[in-house]
Amino acid sequence: MVKETKIELVRLNVLLQEYGVSSRRKADELIESGNVQVNGKIVKTLGVKVEKNSSISVNGKILKSIPTKVTYLFNKPFMTITSRKDEKERTTIFDLPELKKLPLNVQSVGRLDYRSEGLLILTNDGDLSLALSHPKYSVEKTYAVLVSSPFTIEDSEKLKKGVELEDGIAKAISVKIGSKEKLGNSLGQWIELVVTEGRNRLVRRMLEAIGLSVVRLIRVAIGDIRLPSKLEAGKMRVVTDIEGKYLSNLKKNMLQEINEKSKFTLSKDILEKRKLKKKVTLNDIEYAKEAERREKRATLISKLRKKELAQNEQKRHTWKVKDSNNSFTEKRLETKENIYKTDKKEKRFNKTKLEFKPKEQINSNIDPKKAIFKGKETRKLTDLDKKEFELKKKRKTTNDKNNSRSSERKTNQRKK
């Protein structure tokens, strides 16, 4: 038997990104303009899936081979933008001499705003960037923030509970208060803040909502990967073996989740039937009939439930007793009688009015007045129980006598 080889289908814009032509957005623009050919045919439709081995050409040039996947750690400097181009013509990270040599397919995982600084991961692996940046996989991002005024424990609790922003509630997983720093005439304070989301200017907006202004913001870590202390601002280095293993594990976990979900997808026939059902609409008469049928069904169900509850209550208050003919007869006790009962909280015998709820089968010889009840169990008073009861009475009398003697002594002392 010849084994069937599975053909890997990939989206065309993803393939163009892997080849290093451009980003996915710009790849879509190239496809729409008709500058991309697959196996000699022009493709203009977006979201088309193509075989990995198929020959692709852009602007008449055939793409030869996919470059190897690379990941770098980069220390973003202050007053730079994380993009290839800027409308205001400000300096970008790719304008720096360290990053100019990188191919076009290497992109930053997530972004830091113009005034923020710290750790960025640069890679050409699309799956890895998705695993790190998507909020569904909740990779932690830690930030060291310098605030212009002192930071209290109440502020940290507010951030943990959640702060309302324009685009929804934002929460901090953990907040640590650090050392203080002089800022001219005032005192600032350092904070370590952990967040799983990557929304635009999230940390700054969270602190502004509390009433604090940010002086300096540094991303210290992404997951278990921390910003190297020796890595200067504006420079990068290749990921180490330990860091590479951690990132590969993140990617594997993400791909496993996607594969498990794809296994449980419904067949095409079922999906088509569901679509047809949605299209079918009921007339006014049919809708009214269905509404009446549902109301009748609901009333029947409610009646049946009430009957069941009534039957269960009757069973609780009834039990079987043997007659002279050895035949069982059901009896129901609804009266309240004075019976002895052990009070577990006070640990003493008290005469209290209680509802008698015996089991289904019980001996007819037992008198309820001479019975001790513990939960649902019943038993006769034994000699030991009587002795305990007498001992407790004696203790009470001795205690009362001692109390009376002590009170008499105190009164005599006061008179003297």
Side-chain angles (χ1 to χ4, degrees):
M1 295 291 286
V2 180
K3 288 183 179 180
E4 292 181 359
T5 54
K6 288 184 178 180
I7 298 162
E8 288 186 5
L9 295 171
V10 187
R11 283 191 178 183
L12 187 57
N13 58 358
V14 175
L15 255 180
L16 292 170
Q17 188 186 12
E18 286 180 0
Y19 275 113
V21 175
S22 64
S23 63
R24 289 185 189 182
R25 287 181 185 177
K26 289 181 180 178
D28 289 332
E29 289 174 8
L30 288 167
I31 291 160
E32 282 181 335
S33 59
N35 294 321
V36 181
Q37 289 184 355
V38 179
N39 296 326
K41 292 179 180 180
I42 295 163
V43 178
K44 287 186 178 181
T45 54
L46 297 172
V48 174
K49 287 187 176 182
V50 183
E51 291 179 14
K52 271 198 172 183
N53 299 325
S54 57
S55 64
I56 299 162
S57 61
V58 179
N59 295 323
K61 292 180 181 179
I62 296 164
L63 305 175
K64 292 180 181 179
S65 61
I66 296 166
T68 54
K69 289 177 181 179
V70 186
T71 52
Y72 299 98
L73 298 182
F74 176 66
N75 190 355
K76 181 191 172 291
F78 185 61
M79 303 279 277
T80 51
I81 288 168
T82 54
S83 62
R84 290 277 175 187
K85 288 180 183 180
D86 183 42
E87 293 174 357
K88 296 178 183 178
E89 295 183 353
R90 291 173 290 185
T91 53
T92 65
I93 57 169
F94 294 102
D95 293 332
L96 298 169
E98 282 278 326
L99 305 184
K100 273 186 178 179
K101 298 173 185 179
L102 291 172
L104 289 166
N105 62 344
V106 175
Q107 299 292 331
S108 64
V109 177
R111 290 189 179 189
L112 288 169
D113 62 1
Y114 186 60
R115 292 181 177 276
S116 300
E117 47 191 308
L119 181 64
L120 276 172
I121 293 171
L122 306 172
T123 185
N124 58 355
D125 192 349
D127 293 328
L128 196 148
S129 63
L130 198 146
L132 288 168
S133 60
H134 204 282
K136 185 169 74 175
Y137 305 110
S138 64
V139 178
E140 294 179 355
K141 287 109 182 165
T142 62
Y143 296 90
V145 187
L146 179 63
V147 185
S148 60
S149 58
F151 189 84
T152 60
I153 294 163
E154 290 176 358
D155 296 329
S156 66
E157 286 177 357
K158 283 177 186 176
L159 291 170
K160 284 175 185 177
K161 283 179 182 177
V163 181
E164 284 188 5
L165 302 174
E166 292 174 358
D167 53 351
I169 295 164
K171 289 182 183 180
I173 291 164
S174 69
V175 181
K176 291 179 184 178
I177 300 165
S179 59
K180 291 180 180 180
E181 190 175 321
K182 278 190 177 182
L183 299 168
N185 296 325
S186 63
L187 264 174
Q189 197 160 25
W190 282 98
I191 306 157
E192 193 182 73
L193 213 149
V194 181
V195 182
T196 53
E197 292 180 279
R199 285 186 261 174
N200 187 22
R201 298 179 71 255
L202 183 69
V203 176
R204 288 180 187 276
R205 287 189 293 149
M206 282 170 76
L207 293 165
E208 281 171 9
I210 294 166
L212 297 167
S213 59
V214 177
V215 178
R216 197 178 174 192
L217 195 147
I218 305 161
R219 188 191 274 167
V220 178
I222 298 168
D224 292 345
I225 294 167
R226 295 193 72 83
L227 181 69
S229 58
K230 294 180 181 179
L231 192 67
E232 294 177 1
K235 290 190 176 180
M236 67 173 186
R237 72 161 173 81
V238 181
V239 174
T240 59
D241 294 332
I242 296 161
E243 290 165 349
K245 281 179 183 178
Y246 170 72
L247 293 170
S248 63
N249 286 327
L250 281 175
K251 195 172 94 172
K252 280 178 184 177
N253 291 329
M254 186 199 74
L255 292 168
Q256 280 176 2
E257 282 183 13
I258 292 162
N259 289 327
E260 283 174 2
K261 284 181 181 179
S262 63
K263 284 177 185 177
F264 297 103
T265 52
L266 295 166
S267 61
K268 288 181 180 179
D269 296 330
I270 293 161
L271 290 167
E272 284 176 2
K273 283 177 183 178
R274 285 186 178 181
K275 284 178 184 178
L276 287 166
K277 281 181 181 179
K278 284 179 183 179
K279 286 179 183 179
V280 173
T281 55
L282 293 167
N283 297 325
D284 294 333
I285 298 160
E286 289 176 352
Y287 184 79
K289 284 179 181 178
E290 198 164 324
E292 284 178 0
R293 187 178 61 77
R294 285 179 182 177
E295 280 180 5
K296 285 178 182 178
R297 191 182 176 187
T299 51
L300 283 168
I301 289 160
S302 64
K303 283 179 182 177
L304 289 167
R305 282 178 182 172
K306 283 178 183 178
K307 281 182 181 178
E308 283 178 2
L309 289 167
Q311 286 173 4
N312 289 327
E313 283 180 0
Q314 283 179 0
K315 282 179 183 178
R316 282 179 190 174
H317 299 291
T318 56
W319 71 98
K320 291 180 181 180
V321 180
K322 275 188 180 182
D323 292 338
S324 59
N325 299 323
N326 292 325
S327 61
F328 287 100
T329 56
E330 286 189 354
K331 285 191 177 183
R332 188 172 180 181
L333 191 67
E334 294 178 353
T335 57
K336 293 181 180 179
E337 296 180 357
N338 294 327
I339 53 174
Y340 286 106
K341 180 184 177 262
T342 53
D343 201 355
K344 289 182 182 178
K345 289 181 182 177
E346 297 177 4
K347 293 183 179 179
R348 64 185 180 184
F349 287 94
N350 288 326
K351 283 188 176 183
T352 54
K353 287 185 178 182
L354 298 167
E355 286 183 2
F356 180 51
K357 294 180 182 179
K359 289 185 175 181
E360 287 183 357
Q361 290 184 6
I362 189 165
N363 292 325
S364 61
N365 298 322
I366 293 168
D367 294 326
K369 287 182 181 179
K370 295 178 182 179
I372 291 172
F373 292 85
K374 289 184 178 180
K376 293 181 180 179
E377 294 179 2
T378 58
R379 62 186 176 82
K380 284 184 179 180
L381 278 168
T382 58
D383 295 331
L384 287 168
D385 292 328
K386 287 173 184 178
K387 283 178 183 178
E388 282 178 4
F389 187 65
E390 286 171 1
L391 285 167
K392 282 180 182 180
K393 272 187 179 181
K394 284 179 182 179
R395 282 173 193 168
K396 279 182 185 180
T397 52
T398 52
N399 288 326
D400 291 334
K401 284 177 183 178
N402 291 325
N403 290 325
S404 63
R405 283 173 187 173
S406 62
S407 62
E408 282 175 4
R409 283 173 192 170
K410 285 177 183 178
T411 52
N412 290 326
Q413 285 175 3
R414 283 174 189 173
K415 285 176 182 179
K416 287 177 181 178

